Amino acid sequence: MKAFLLSLVTLSLAAASAQPLTLRHDEGTGTVQVTRDPKRLVVLDEQALDFIYALGLGDRVVGLGSAVIGSAGLTAGGYLRPEVLKTGYLARGRLNNPRFVGTWTAPNLETILSLKPDLIVRSTWEGNQHYANLNKIAPTVGYREDASGFWQGSLRDLARVFGRQVQAERVIKQVSDVNRANARKLAAAGVFRKYPKVVVISPFTGGSTWLYNEVRLIDDLRALGFRDGLKAPSTTLGVGVQISDEALLGLDKQTLVVIMPPAGQYNGGEAFLKSAVGQRLRGQSVIYNLEASSPWSGPLVSMRNSNDVTRLILEAVK
């Protein structure tokens, strides 16, 4: 009898795991049917890769997209070079020889099809292209960076697919714990008395500078206890807006300026620091460089942001 009951339980669990899961996301019709615990993943950008890394699933990625990895980082066969996988952000998880599948704006559909993925994951924004074609290849989920609780909600959704909800909640709690510990360090050092406010700016090549009002580092700094030093009335793609030199020169001395240049060929940080506005703000600025191939945000990125920016700020106010 016990053996019979055990068999029934085993069959019930197997049937449940075989049932597709309806996943809500930010593209297409807003829902997609996903097979539970997929084994072959295509991830179209490092932003989405942060979710996969946080769930301990990097070894399932068979295809990876990136806007910053150029041809020099690829083998003749189109795979990421081993030395690339061992440096910067990509080294934070375990990747097993993924094929390069283009960028999040121009995915290589033929290559993705050849990889026979079970699931495609990407970050996205309003007006992004190719979703319908990607979803014909394999169930595709896209998460908008400007959505409320962007990475927490995305991580929880994906955790359901892989049965790793406990892991997701552990990571979310770890981020909160890291922020609380670093907030105490900053308060004890008197940082908030000197700089109660903060702005995050990102200088791009060509001279444009962006102010980030949502998601990109600014949420981590708010969690540490800073108030906004400047709030733009509108944003582009829900995260920031181009800001003028005049607006930056109007910042008061109680506003800490965190300069976070973009990666690779887009990095205009050095030119900004040599500019008149960069020189003017130097005394109240810290420079925070993302790792090579790092996404802008995500659970693992938030922990690194919290620890590294706290260290930079503490060094600056000694």
Side-chain angles (χ1 to χ4, degrees):
M1 185 66 176
K2 287 183 178 179
F4 175 72
L5 292 175
L6 181 60
S7 297
L8 283 180
V9 170
T10 302
L11 288 171
S12 297
L13 290 173
S17 64
Q19 291 294 319
L21 183 71
T22 299
L23 201 63
R24 294 189 178 278
H25 65 117
D26 301 320
E27 294 197 279
T29 62
T31 62
V32 68
Q33 295 289 309
V34 179
T35 302
R36 295 174 188 268
D37 202 27
K39 307 299 184 190
R40 296 179 62 81
L41 310 179
V42 164
V43 180
L44 287 179
D45 51 88
E46 291 90 351
Q47 196 100 335
L49 182 63
D50 203 60
F51 309 142
I52 301 303
Y53 272 1
L55 295 173
L57 298 166
D59 57 348
R60 300 192 189 187
V61 177
V62 296
L64 180 64
S66 173
V68 295
I69 297 173
S71 58
L74 307 178
T75 67
Y79 292 86
L80 275 74
R81 291 186 179 277
E83 58 269 27
V84 173
L85 299 177
K86 294 176 182 177
T87 57
Y89 170 79
L90 295 181
R92 290 185 172 267
R94 194 174 107 190
L95 291 171
N96 291 335
N97 197 31
R99 185 84 181 270
F100 184 71
V101 295
T103 70
W104 60 352
T105 57
N108 188 320
L109 298 175
E110 184 177 347
T111 299
I112 294 171
L113 178 63
S114 72
L115 293 171
K116 297 182 170 67
D118 303 316
L119 179 67
I120 301 170
V121 187
R122 72 174 181 175
S123 60
T124 191
W125 61 89
E126 185 176 356
N128 197 8
Q129 304 295 310
H130 307 292
Y131 178 79
N133 287 328
L134 289 166
N135 202 43
K136 289 177 183 176
I137 296 172
T140 300
V141 293
Y143 296 104
R144 287 180 56 152
E145 192 180 14
D146 61 343
S148 177
F150 161 63
W151 70 254
Q152 293 90 340
S154 305
L155 183 67
R156 285 179 169 129
D157 281 349
L158 288 170
R160 290 173 54 224
V161 176
F162 297 97
R164 301 205 175 191
Q165 294 94 323
V166 173
Q167 170 77 2
E169 295 306 321
R170 186 183 300 123
V171 170
I172 291 169
K173 181 180 183 299
Q174 188 178 1
V175 175
S176 296
D177 290 345
V178 167
N179 282 330
R180 279 194 291 270
N182 286 326
R184 289 193 292 268
K185 293 177 185 177
L186 294 169
V191 170
F192 300 121
R193 290 193 297 273
K194 184 173 184 179
Y195 296 120
K197 298 176 289 184
V198 70
V199 296
V200 177
I201 63 172
S202 189
F204 282 71
T205 52
S208 65
T209 302
W210 281 68
L211 170 75
Y212 290 130
N213 278 336
E214 302 295 339
V215 184
R216 297 183 177 181
L217 184 60
I218 188 64
D219 284 351
D220 302 310
L221 291 168
R222 289 169 181 152
L224 290 174
F226 290 99
R227 304 197 310 270
D228 288 352
L230 187 61
K231 191 76 173 177
S234 63
T235 61
T236 299
L237 301 181
V239 295
V241 66
Q242 190 168 336
I243 188 170
S244 67
D245 288 350
E246 290 75 18
L248 290 174
L249 290 170
L251 293 172
D252 62 40
K253 294 293 185 181
Q254 287 190 305
T255 299
L256 178 69
V257 180
V258 180
I259 302 169
M260 184 177 66
Q265 69 267 33
Y266 307 106
N267 189 331
E270 185 175 345
F272 176 82
L273 290 172
K274 292 178 180 178
S275 70
V277 66
Q279 291 293 310
R280 156 68 175 76
L281 295 173
R282 183 179 288 273
Q284 63 194 90
S285 299
V286 295
I287 303 164
Y288 176 50
N289 288 301
L290 293 166
E291 295 175 294
S293 299
S294 176
W296 289 106
S297 60
L300 302 188
V301 175
S302 280
M303 281 187 274
R304 178 184 184 267
N305 286 348
S306 184
N307 286 327
D308 287 5
V309 174
T310 294
R311 175 180 51 78
L312 290 170
I313 294 170
L314 291 174
E315 290 174 355
V317 300
K318 283 181 181 178

